[in-house]
Amino acid sequence: MTTGGDAFDDVLAANSHYSKGFTLSGLEPVAARGLAIVTCMDSRIEPLPLLGLRAGDAKILRNAGARVTDDVLRTLVLATHLLGVDRIMIVPHTRCKMASMSQDAVVDAIEQHSGVDATSLDFGLIVDQRRTLERDVTRTRAWPFLPAGVRVGGFVYDVDTGALEHVC
């Protein structure tokens, strides 16, 4: 796959401007507020401002559907043991594509769009968002590699109002 020559010129120009006024140098690599946030990759979610946080306050893990995967758990082990995290928020959101399509529909859409056969991939799609969130929270709380006392909560973010609901 090629990069397309100037496919990244816009973001590189924006970064050049950003780096000239960069003020975050010297931040410690730990989560200053002891928080890790597992949320969706959806670009409508701005994890720091929605929780009143700033750069350096939290570790943010993003994937499709805000799912607690083996990789998320591995990363949370590092965050809790080495990077100051003692609270974990799992935050899926309303109107999530991963909670509105079936596995077959996703595979068909990918094949129609690009001709790629993705039948071998498990996209971790969500049939019942609240039940899936409860299972992911339970799985995280039970993960034996996390330190005792780590608090884990499940929340749903409303992309239309900006409100956060504590589910479990």
Side-chain angles (χ1 to χ4, degrees):
M1 196 174 285
T2 62
T3 61
D6 57 325
F8 300 100
D9 286 351
D10 60 330
V11 291
L12 290 173
N15 175 257
S16 177
H17 177 74
Y18 171 80
S19 67
K20 289 177 180 149
F22 188 69
T23 60
L24 300 177
S25 179
L27 279 180
E28 293 297 320
V30 298
R33 300 274 297 269
L35 186 63
I37 306 160
V38 179
T39 194
C40 188
M41 66 180 186
D42 192 301
S43 56
R44 296 172 290 181
I45 301 169
E46 297 181 294
L48 296 178
L50 84 85
L51 297 170
L53 303 173
R54 298 178 311 186
D57 283 347
K59 299 300 179 188
I60 302 169
L61 295 75
R62 297 179 84 137
N63 64 33
R67 296 306 313 277
V68 174
T69 62
D70 289 346
D71 189 55
V72 165
L73 289 169
R74 177 190 62 81
T75 302
L76 290 172
V77 169
L78 295 169
T80 56
H81 288 283
L82 304 176
L83 300 173
V85 168
D86 60 10
R87 300 180 291 162
I88 300 167
M89 294 179 74
I90 303 170
V91 188
H93 64 92
T94 59
R95 295 196 301 120
C96 182
K97 196 69 139 173
M98 297 298 98
S100 66
M101 296 179 74
S102 69
Q103 177 77 13
D104 289 341
V106 170
V107 168
D108 289 346
I110 291 170
E111 188 161 8
Q112 288 175 13
H113 180 264
S114 62
V116 172
D117 179 2
T119 54
S120 65
L121 296 177
D122 177 4
F123 292 100
L125 299 173
I126 301 161
V127 175
D128 180 330
Q129 191 176 51
R130 287 181 183 272
R131 187 170 175 179
T132 299
L133 175 59
E134 289 168 358
R135 280 195 309 259
D136 282 350
V137 166
T138 298
R139 181 178 186 209
T140 305
R141 287 177 179 159
W143 192 246
F145 300 102
L146 295 179
V150 170
R151 293 161 292 169
V152 182
F155 306 81
V156 174
Y157 175 68
D158 189 318
V159 296
D160 295 312
T161 67
L164 195 63
E165 177 189 358
H166 190 176
V167 174
C168 54

